[in-house]
Amino acid sequence: TKLILLDSLLQEMSTVLLLGATGETGKELLKILAASPSINKIVTLGRRTTELDVPEGKEKVEQRVVDFENLDSHSADFRNIDKGFCCLGTTRAKSGKEGFVKVDFDYVVQGAKQLKAEGCEEFHLVSSQGSKASSWFLYLSTKGKAEDAVRELNFNRYSIYRPGLLICERSERRLGEQVMQWLARKRDWSHGWSIPTSILARGVFLNSEKCKDGVTVMEHADIVRLAADSSTE
């Protein structure tokens, strides 16, 4: 009986893959995934291994090194995954126009394609508030095009998250963003247009635990509300 119960429990637990685990949102999501009893393994893909800031469940994390320019040669790293999470992202200021598009579109879409090809049927994409393929702004247009390209892969369950300004402590300086974050911390107490990456990560995880079939779009307010509701339970 104990063996049957153990087997049943293991079947209910998920193996997940996280793209962008070293980014500010990715780091917060990794902590939550590792601490969750419903997750038995987290695979992260990166250019190199890093020191993990994971207080609980670090033994469940498996770091794999890949060449993002040739993700199709790493098909084995995308196998046996129940859920895929993508927090990849950079900025034009940091990486230039081509570098930004490469990370926020090419890597995102190629990673999703590899997961789909290897049998994964659930994908969670952290995008941006205002994302739209037809936008005149490169950032929003690229985010929207990535959303649409992943949608065309027809995952059984696909969730898109569109947060506003991210509040976090970045390792690199972004002066304009620092000013906006300062204003948000002073004025946006209810998170009407900004959101700490810890709250964003909690919203992503909570939605993934009850993900419905089809496409789910979580706008900024939806993410904040879901995370807030969970904290009062």
Side-chain angles (χ1 to χ4, degrees), residues 102-214:
K102 182 175 291 187
V103 172
D104 284 61
F105 182 84
D106 295 347
Y107 294 173
V108 169
V109 176
Q110 191 58 37
K113 285 181 178 179
Q114 289 297 319
L115 277 169
K116 179 66 175 177
E118 296 301 328
C120 179
E121 287 297 346
E122 183 172 325
F123 193 75
H124 299 266
L125 174 61
V126 176
S127 185
S128 171
Q129 188 175 57
S131 59
K132 190 175 182 181
S134 60
S135 173
W136 287 94
F137 298 98
L138 176 67
Y139 183 84
L140 298 178
S141 172
T142 303
K143 292 289 190 181
K145 288 175 181 176
E147 289 180 9
D148 293 348
V150 175
R151 190 190 301 258
E152 292 175 3
L153 298 177
N154 294 315
F155 281 93
N156 284 350
R157 295 171 298 282
Y158 173 39
S159 291
I160 300 166
Y161 305 86
R162 294 173 175 167
L165 177 71
L166 301 182
I167 304 300
C168 57
E169 297 297 334
R170 296 192 184 278
S171 56
E172 77 272 8
R173 295 178 62 85
R174 299 179 183 178
L175 183 58
E177 186 180 66
Q178 285 181 324
V179 172
M180 292 301 294
Q181 286 200 31
W182 181 83
L183 286 173
R185 288 189 173 100
K186 294 290 185 181
R187 300 294 182 184
D188 190 29
W189 302 298
S190 62
H191 306 308
W193 52 274
S194 66
I195 183 170
T197 50
S198 57
I199 293 180
L200 170 56
R202 184 160 76 240
V204 171
F205 172 74
L206 290 170
N207 182 66
S208 74
E209 289 287 273
K210 59 179 183 64
C211 191
K212 299 177 181 179
D213 288 349

Side-chain angles (χ1 to χ4, degrees), residues 18-27 44-46 68 85-89:
L18 175 58
L19 293 164
T22 59
E24 301 307 322
T25 301
K27 286 189 286 190
T44 68
L45 303 184
F68 278 94
F85 294 86
C86 183
C87 301
L88 286 170

Side-chain angles (χ1 to χ4, degrees), residues 6-159:
L6 178 60
D7 184 61
S8 176
L9 179 62
L10 289 173
Q11 288 181 7
E12 292 177 2
M13 297 173 72
S14 301
T15 296
V16 305
L17 182 142
L18 175 58
L19 293 164
T22 59
E24 301 307 322
T25 301
K27 286 189 286 190
E28 295 294 337
L29 182 56
L30 179 59
K31 294 176 185 177
I32 296 172
L33 292 170
S36 171
S38 67
I39 306 294
N40 72 319
K41 183 177 181 180
I42 306 106
V43 175
T44 68
L45 303 184
R47 292 188 176 90
R48 65 188 71 84
T49 59
T50 61
E51 183 64 33
L52 298 176
D53 178 19
V54 180
E56 183 181 353
K58 185 182 290 188
E59 69 282 355
K60 294 194 288 186
V61 182
E62 180 181 329
Q63 298 187 71
R64 299 178 183 174
V65 177
V66 298
D67 176 7
F68 278 94
E69 299 295 328
N70 296 286
L71 282 180
D72 55 355
S73 67
H74 295 278
S75 57
D77 293 309
F78 292 85
R79 290 176 191 154
N80 303 314
I81 301 296
D82 299 305
K83 302 179 182 183
F85 294 86
C86 183
C87 301
L88 286 170
T90 185
T91 64
R92 183 173 183 173
K94 180 180 179 180
S95 304
K97 179 180 178 179
E98 291 185 4
F100 166 70
V101 173
K102 182 175 291 187
V103 172
D104 284 61
F105 182 84
D106 295 347
Y107 294 173
V108 169
V109 176
Q110 191 58 37
K113 285 181 178 179
Q114 289 297 319
L115 277 169
K116 179 66 175 177
E118 296 301 328
C120 179
E121 287 297 346
E122 183 172 325
F123 193 75
H124 299 266
L125 174 61
V126 176
S127 185
S128 171
Q129 188 175 57
S131 59
K132 190 175 182 181
S134 60
S135 173
W136 287 94
F137 298 98
L138 176 67
Y139 183 84
L140 298 178
S141 172
T142 303
K143 292 289 190 181
K145 288 175 181 176
E147 289 180 9
D148 293 348
V150 175
R151 190 190 301 258
E152 292 175 3
L153 298 177
N154 294 315
F155 281 93
N156 284 350
R157 295 171 298 282
Y158 173 39
S159 291

